[in-house]
Amino acid sequence: MFKIHVYKSVDEVSQKAFEIVKKIVDVDHPVTLGLATGSSPVGMYARLVEDHEKNGTSYKQVSSYNLDEYVGLPKGHLQSYLSFMNENLFDYVDIPRQNIHMPSAHSDDLKKDAQEYSKAVLAAHVDVQVLGIGSNGHIGFNEPGTPFDSITHVVALKEETRQDNARFFNSIDEVPEYAVSMGITEIMAAKKIVLIAIGNKKALAVKEMIHGKIREEVPCTILQKHPDVVLILDKEAASLLDD
Ligand code: GLP
């Protein structure tokens, strides 16, 4: 079930997402966060860091599981999702390092690691999963056509996704072709989902997510079946929704 919030500015979007996550970090102890990368949650992370610095909100009892990670980037690469998370959150709050979990992207047996990651995520019972959305409706890196019963797996990235993410690299050739992503199963198992969508490019995916037929060709449509999804949209991302 969706609770939909539409705001005029990205600042308001970020503030709302921040308030929801902060409330959970404050109230529930211990807490498991499911975290996402991408530009959409950046403002939310900035507010969480600011709040930690100003108000001392503690992450000592927080564990985190990230949605996805690129395969093939050298360890420490600036565009790896671990670097992103360090830069935007982990380096600036007091979350214990051993509580931070990212999908393994550097082993000889990515498949086995992915299965173990799936078990760990499910056992951790994510309290809130933060999500962005791809312009093609992907969630995490679950590209169109991913089975709804998928668990964490290695993904071949679609060309459109590589193009979308090329802005973070020097050229499209540097964008990895593979990633490891939580599956739809782990995402749907989260107690609560907060999905942030900003900009015109997301408008069609947002419309499909809410009103489209539930189908694997548009992965985000599965969220219609989740009992507690908060959609936080700017007016561009909401522009194809009826009033
Ligand atoms: C990537 C990530 C997704 C993210 C999406 C949208 O593909 N794997 O988790 O939701 O990008 O990114 P952005 O928020 O930058 O639009």
Side-chain angles (χ1 to χ4, degrees):
M1 201 196 292
F2 295 119
K3 218 179 260 165
I4 305 172
H5 300 273
V6 181
Y7 294 103
K8 286 201 194 89
S9 71
V10 174
D11 273 352
E12 290 166 288
V13 167
S14 302
Q15 179 66 24
K16 180 70 184 172
F18 154 71
E19 283 166 9
I20 294 172
V21 173
K22 175 186 159 58
K23 202 167 165 195
I24 291 170
V25 171
D26 269 346
V27 173
D28 287 354
H29 286 294
V31 179
T32 306
L33 301 181
L35 298 177
T37 54
S39 46
S40 308
V42 164
M44 178 196 77
Y45 290 135
R47 282 167 173 76
L48 289 170
V49 168
E50 194 189 334
D51 168 67
H52 168 73
E53 285 166 357
K54 276 198 191 146
N55 306 317
T57 302
S58 177
Y59 291 72
K60 285 204 172 118
Q61 299 215 53
V62 171
S63 297
S64 69
Y65 287 82
N66 260 79
L67 273 175
D68 44 19
E69 180 57 287
Y70 285 123
V71 173
L73 294 179
K75 274 192 182 161
H77 190 286
L78 273 182
Q79 293 308 331
S80 77
Y81 285 166
L82 177 57
S83 297
F84 174 99
M85 290 307 304
N86 285 337
E87 287 270 307
N88 285 281
L89 183 71
F90 297 153
D91 282 352
Y92 304 102
V93 296
D94 58 348
I95 185 169
R97 277 280 147 186
Q98 68 271 18
N99 291 6
I100 295 171
H101 305 88
M102 303 289 298
S104 144
H106 290 102
S107 92
D108 294 337
D109 197 343
L110 290 179
K111 201 172 165 190
K112 183 169 147 270
D113 286 1
Q115 286 166 354
E116 277 168 15
Y117 193 74
S118 173
K119 280 190 200 144
V121 174
L122 294 175
H125 299 292
V126 171
D127 292 292
V128 59
Q129 174 67 57
V130 177
L131 281 184
I133 187 170
S135 57
N136 63 8
H138 74 226
I139 45 178
F141 267 136
N142 293 290
E143 294 282 28
T146 307
F148 283 155
D149 63 358
S150 57
I151 61 166
T152 305
H153 59 295
V154 179
V155 183
L157 298 177
K158 297 265 189 221
E159 193 49 32
E160 59 209 301
T161 299
R162 293 185 66 241
Q163 296 279 3
D164 281 352
N165 291 354
R167 65 188 193 279
F168 299 112
F169 294 82
N170 292 323
S171 78
I172 178 88
D173 304 330
E174 287 182 19
V175 183
E177 292 179 6
Y178 294 92
V180 180
S181 178
M182 273 190 206
I184 302 288
T185 303
E186 296 90 347
I187 293 172
M188 290 297 282
K191 290 176 208 158
K192 185 183 198 74
I193 293 175
V194 170
L195 188 146
I196 304 167
I198 296 164
N200 278 323
K201 274 181 79 179
K202 307 294 172 72
L204 193 54
V206 166
K207 184 182 177 191
E208 281 288 332
M209 169 167 56
I210 301 169
H211 298 298
K213 184 171 172 288
I214 300 175
R215 59 201 196 282
E216 291 177 347
E217 290 70 41
V218 189
C220 58
T221 56
I222 191 66
L223 298 176
Q224 291 175 26
K225 291 200 169 173
H226 191 284
D228 184 4
V229 183
V230 184
L231 299 182
I232 310 178
L233 316 171
D234 75 342
K235 59 182 188 318
E236 276 88 25
S239 58
L240 296 179
L241 302 177
D242 300 328
D243 294 331

